[in-house]
Amino acid sequence: MFQEIMYLAVSDPLTTEETGGTREAIEKVLLYVQQHYQEDISLKEVAQMHGISASNFSSVFKKHVGLNPLDYVTQLRMAQAQRKLKASQPIELVARQVGFKDPLYFSRIFKRTVGVTPSAYRKQSQTDKIVTLLPHLNDYLLALGVKPFATLPYGGNDQVDGYLPYLARELSETKLTGSWNKPDMDELAEAKPGLILGSNWFHINLESVKKIAPTIPIILRDDWQSLLLELARFFGKGEEGKHWMRRYEQKVNQAKALLSLSKARDESVMILTVTCNEYRVYGGRRQLGKVLYEDLRLTPPAGISTKTHYVCVTLEQIQAMNPDHIFLSTNNSNPSKEQIKALQATKAWSGLRAVQKHQVYEVESWLNGHAPIKHSLSIDVAISHLAESKQWEVSVM
């Protein structure tokens, strides 16, 4: 089954209403299309099945996905067709497998989308060139042993040579294009990539990008494990994906065993991010909170749900929570850590239990993200601060 709709669970600014019913309905439509893209389906009927009005379906779909419905299905089919052609499958068979009854019509659509005929494409000996339009996606690809040809620069103030700091060495041969939220279209066209992994996070114009190469939009969601496995299936790395998950589960179990011997097992742990104008306390829905609260089963501060992404709180509310441990960072858009210094200078801060017990751990802002390698590193950081045993091998999986 073709599973290509990916949802990168990173912080996003969508409101509760935008992440509510309409978005959920769109995700159900996408899932249905993933499972039936080979068939002759009516997208408007599918939309009505999931509670979306047929009259405004196209505009709603494009708002959330970045492509109109027909273009989305075409991109889905062409991306899969490319991989089947590289596996030397007959053109007529490939056409049927991706939903075309007429091989000639398939060839016309393929050439219009990819730029060459299916037969010419199959003869090309060039390796796959994958472009990612979201730097965090590279974490998933590297976990599977797939190196992107090009990517957008990482815009955080902790970037290393334009890359996420913990991926900089592995991506040293990956070309950077454009700015953090806009690819260089001329460079992309010249590179002739085989596939572009897009995103609706930065609202990049996918209509323009898809003219260069088949483009798969990425729709954000909280479940990074299923995203990893979907990417693994798409790139023919199913075993690698399963192997990664097994190793991650083993690492989680080893970490929990160490923490069970530590006093931290009975104490509260807060994840606090200080931005220019607010304090954010994270729950366990995603990012570092998912690792600490959902995976390692640590205890969040009073009033913080493990199902919550984050809540904005006052210093007085932090005082009321009074955690035993605090993982402290800034938002990666901050130009400095002056906000943390100002917080630490307050009397309220100095009275916190975690401060008095010297159990405040300043961590890099990139750590509070949502991707497989990042989560593996989060376990290492948690153990280094919370476990009493020092017998822990720090490694990137």
Side-chain angles (χ1 to χ4, degrees):
M1 197 66 69
F2 194 43
Q3 297 281 330
E4 292 158 296
I5 300 307
M6 285 74 76
Y7 181 120
L8 181 63
V10 295
S11 298
D12 59 84
L14 296 179
T15 65
T16 301
E17 180 180 356
E18 288 175 315
T19 57
T22 301
R23 182 167 177 170
E24 182 179 352
I26 288 292
E27 290 181 9
K28 290 180 179 178
V29 170
L30 291 173
L31 179 60
Y32 184 91
V33 174
Q34 291 173 41
Q35 296 172 340
H36 300 274
Y37 76 99
Q38 309 98 323
E39 304 170 11
D40 185 14
I41 58 177
S42 167
L43 290 175
K44 288 190 176 182
E45 289 180 4
V46 173
Q48 290 177 315
M49 286 167 49
H50 295 93
I52 303 175
S53 170
S55 61
N56 64 350
F57 169 59
S58 292
S59 60
V60 170
F61 188 97
K62 187 171 182 178
K63 175 183 176 182
H64 285 265
V65 178
L67 296 174
N68 67 52
L70 291 178
D71 279 345
Y72 169 76
V73 174
T74 299
Q75 297 294 300
L76 220 61
R77 288 171 168 174
M78 293 303 104
Q80 182 70 339
Q82 284 179 279
R83 303 203 168 274
K84 292 179 181 294
L85 289 169
K86 286 178 182 289
S88 300
Q89 294 187 22
I91 294 174
E92 293 80 4
L93 176 60
V94 171
R96 291 196 300 271
Q97 289 178 334
V98 299
F100 291 85
K101 297 178 181 178
D102 184 351
L104 293 178
Y105 180 61
F106 163 72
S107 295
R108 288 199 298 271
I109 297 298
F110 188 94
K111 184 176 181 180
R112 188 175 71 189
T113 304
V114 180
V116 295
T117 64
S119 57
Y121 182 85
R122 189 167 55 187
K123 291 177 182 178
Q124 293 175 348
S125 58
Q126 68 182 43
T127 57
D128 280 342
K129 290 183 178 180
I130 301 167
V131 174
T132 58
L133 300 185
L134 189 64
H136 303 277
L137 254 187
N138 300 319
D139 185 310
Y140 290 82
L141 299 191
L142 291 174
L144 298 171
V146 177
K147 283 199 175 184
F149 167 74
T151 189
L152 299 191
Y154 169 61
N157 64 352
D158 53 351
Q159 57 83 25
V160 174
D161 298 326
Y163 304 103
L164 278 159
Y166 71 103
L167 299 180
R169 185 174 62 180
E170 289 79 2
L171 293 174
S172 60
E173 297 180 359
T174 296
K175 182 179 178 62
L176 294 175
T177 177
S179 61
W180 66 273
N181 65 346
K182 185 178 181 181
D184 186 312
M185 301 300 288
D186 292 334
E187 283 186 350
L188 285 187
E190 185 178 349
K192 298 181 179 179
L195 176 68
I196 298 174
L197 297 182
S199 171
N200 68 336
W201 191 31
F202 295 142
H203 304 291
I204 294 171
N205 185 357
L206 298 185
E207 291 288 348
S208 298
V209 174
K210 74 181 180 63
K211 297 175 182 178
I212 297 173
T215 301
I216 305 300
I218 298 168
I219 309 301
L220 305 181
R221 68 178 173 219
D222 298 334
D223 186 2
W224 70 268
Q225 291 98 329
S226 66
L227 169 56
L228 179 67
L229 295 177
E230 287 173 13
L231 279 165
R233 287 192 290 268
F234 177 63
F235 287 110
K237 298 278 187 177
E239 287 305 313
E240 288 86 343
K242 293 176 183 177
H243 181 60
W244 175 277
M245 290 306 306
R246 286 195 296 268
R247 290 179 60 194
Y248 183 79
E249 290 169 3
Q250 290 171 357
K251 191 169 187 176
V252 167
N253 290 333
Q254 292 168 0
K256 285 195 295 188
L258 274 179
L259 289 171
S260 69
L261 304 175
S262 168
K263 60 182 180 181
R265 66 179 180 179
D266 300 318
E267 297 179 333
S268 61
V269 180
M270 173 183 284
I271 303 167
L272 175 63
T273 294
V274 181
T275 75
C276 293
N277 54 14
E278 63 189 14
Y279 302 130
R280 297 178 181 177
V281 175
Y282 282 75
R285 178 175 158 188
R286 61 172 73 158
Q287 297 167 281
L288 183 57
K290 193 171 184 67
V291 175
L292 298 187
Y293 306 137
E294 293 292 331
D295 293 341
L296 301 184
R297 300 297 181 183
L298 294 170
T299 304
I304 299 300
S305 169
T306 58
K307 303 302 180 183
T308 299
H309 181 196
Y310 68 80
V311 294
C312 296
V313 299
T314 64
L315 184 52
E316 289 74 19
Q317 288 174 311
I318 295 174
Q319 281 184 288
M321 295 177 189
N322 201 15
D324 297 289
H325 303 264
I326 299 175
F327 285 86
L328 178 66
S329 72
T330 62
N331 182 282
N332 67 11
S333 62
N334 285 359
S336 70
K337 294 187 177 181
E338 293 303 315
Q339 289 79 16
I340 282 185
K341 291 180 181 179
L343 172 64
Q344 292 172 331
T346 64
K347 184 177 180 180
W349 177 261
S350 61
L352 293 176
R353 186 160 49 235
V355 176
Q356 294 178 347
K357 295 166 70 174
H358 304 288
Q359 294 179 165
V360 177
Y361 322 113
E362 289 195 43
V363 296
E364 298 296 332
S365 59
W366 60 260
L367 195 71
N368 193 23
H370 203 64
I373 295 176
K374 195 174 295 184
H375 276 228
S376 178
L377 287 172
S378 297
I379 294 176
D380 296 330
V381 171
I383 291 299
S384 69
H385 290 303
L386 299 176
E388 296 172 358
S389 170
K390 300 301 180 183
Q391 297 179 349
W392 180 262
E393 181 180 354
V394 178
S395 62
V396 178
M397 298 172 63

